[in-house]
Amino acid sequence: MGLIDSHAHLDLSEFNTDRDAVIKRARTEGVVSIVTIGIGLEECRAALQIAQQWPFVYAALGIHPHNAGRWSAQVRDFLEHAARQPKVVALGEIGLDFYRNRSSKEDQRRCFRDQIGLAKSLKLPVIIHDREAHRETLDIVREEHAGEYGGVFHCFSGDAALARKCIDLGFYISIPGTVTFRNASLLHEVVRAVPLEYLLIETDCPFLTPVPFRGKRNEPAYVRYVAEAIAALKQLPLEEVAYATTKNTKRLFRLSGDERITSP
Ligand code: NI
């Protein structure tokens, strides 16, 4: 069985003492690839470095809405250059976060729209972060044609109707470790409603640790608990969930084996 963790933050300091061991453990426990996500300038540099070090680790680069206040022409230039590296498979995570509001809404909107434009000019898919901002995120995604080269709503937090709208705009829906929580009824409903061909799985590690490790640090090896929860909810064999989500992730990020297939 080969799983892909479509969203990890391997560069963060929670992994400073045992990063290599965490990455190796994922491989030995059936994770064939990991996409590690940069959320700011320094994090993007670190994510790219990790991806370049491991053949089966890929990077997505972007400025997270929390860091939108630091968006500038220089940051854009850095991203445009760095995203041309062969191990970079997407722009993200980008979007809106009206839950924590660590940047002003105006800065978030500008940073989001500019990065969608950059992704399209680079012909890259986008990884969308949407927290407490469903309506406006969807409006911007629609207006900017963000799904032109594909994309995913990571850590999906809406209902089944919203998932349908995202799929209609050309996006995948990514399911995090919270799906293992008994009280996550909204997410359970989404998993039951969305066909397997539109689902991705992720850890968002070191955050959102699934049961049975809830409360501890999360890591890519635990993505199997997400796959198991989906299999239980959909009453499907685990192998079928693994096969489909891996196929979807490879298609979205144009991964083939250990290499990215560059578009013709
Ligand atoms: Ni994340």
Side-chain angles (χ1 to χ4, degrees), residues 7 9 93 154 204:
H7 194 111
H9 297 281
E93 52 188 291
H154 114 87
D204 203 20

Side-chain angles (χ1 to χ4, degrees), residues 158-174:
D159 60 11
L162 182 71
R164 186 72 249 172
K165 288 179 188 158
C166 297
I167 291 165
D168 288 345
L169 289 168
F171 283 78
Y172 287 95
I173 304 296
S174 183

Side-chain angles (χ1 to χ4, degrees), residues 11-232:
D11 65 289
L12 295 186
S13 60
E14 283 86 345
F15 297 114
N16 279 356
T17 57
D18 62 346
R19 183 170 292 108
D20 289 2
V22 163
I23 294 169
K24 283 181 193 158
R25 184 157 54 240
R27 272 294 262 211
T28 56
E29 302 206 2
V31 178
V32 291
S33 290
I34 302 166
V35 183
T36 193
I37 318 289
I39 55 171
L41 198 61
E42 286 315 310
E43 291 88 347
C44 285
R45 282 201 183 97
L48 185 54
Q49 203 168 33
I50 294 166
Q52 284 168 341
Q53 193 185 338
W54 300 86
F56 53 90
V57 178
Y58 300 88
L61 309 183
I63 304 301
H64 190 285
H66 287 342
N67 300 321
R70 280 175 259 160
W71 180 246
S72 67
Q74 287 86 339
V75 174
R76 189 193 181 283
D77 287 348
F78 162 78
L79 277 184
E80 184 170 23
H81 176 77
R84 292 181 197 277
Q85 302 297 313
K87 291 303 285 290
V88 178
V89 296
L91 217 85
E93 52 188 291
I94 60 176
L96 302 174
D97 194 313
F98 294 168
Y99 176 67
R100 296 207 192 269
N101 278 311
R102 289 204 197 142
S103 300
S104 76
K105 288 187 177 178
E106 218 25 69
D107 282 346
Q108 291 191 41
R109 290 181 187 113
R110 192 168 52 99
C111 182
F112 186 24
R113 285 187 193 268
D114 283 359
Q115 289 184 99
I116 292 171
L118 180 58
K120 283 162 62 183
S121 73
L122 293 163
K123 301 188 176 178
L124 285 173
V126 289
I127 298 171
I128 304 288
H129 173 105
D130 157 28
R131 188 132 190 233
E132 309 272 319
H134 298 328
R135 192 188 52 78
E136 201 171 332
T137 303
L138 206 65
D139 284 350
I140 291 178
V141 159
R142 195 180 283 123
E143 286 166 24
E144 303 284 346
H145 304 283
E148 193 170 338
Y149 296 96
V152 55
F153 275 71
H154 114 87
C155 261
F156 189 78
S157 59
D159 60 11
L162 182 71
R164 186 72 249 172
K165 288 179 188 158
C166 297
I167 291 165
D168 288 345
L169 289 168
F171 283 78
Y172 287 95
I173 304 296
S174 183
I175 306 299
T178 44
V179 73
T180 62
F181 298 177
R182 200 185 292 260
N183 63 358
S185 48
L186 191 68
L187 190 55
H188 295 167
E189 198 184 299
V190 167
V191 168
R192 286 195 200 94
V194 174
L196 206 46
E197 62 188 295
Y198 299 114
L199 289 181
L200 264 50
I201 54 175
E202 66 170 89
T203 58
D204 203 20
C205 65
F207 316 110
L208 302 182
T209 314
V211 173
F213 296 109
R214 190 176 181 176
K216 302 207 174 85
R217 182 192 68 180
N218 199 3
E219 60 175 72
Y222 300 166
V223 78
R224 70 153 37 237
Y225 299 104
V226 178
E228 282 173 8
I230 293 172

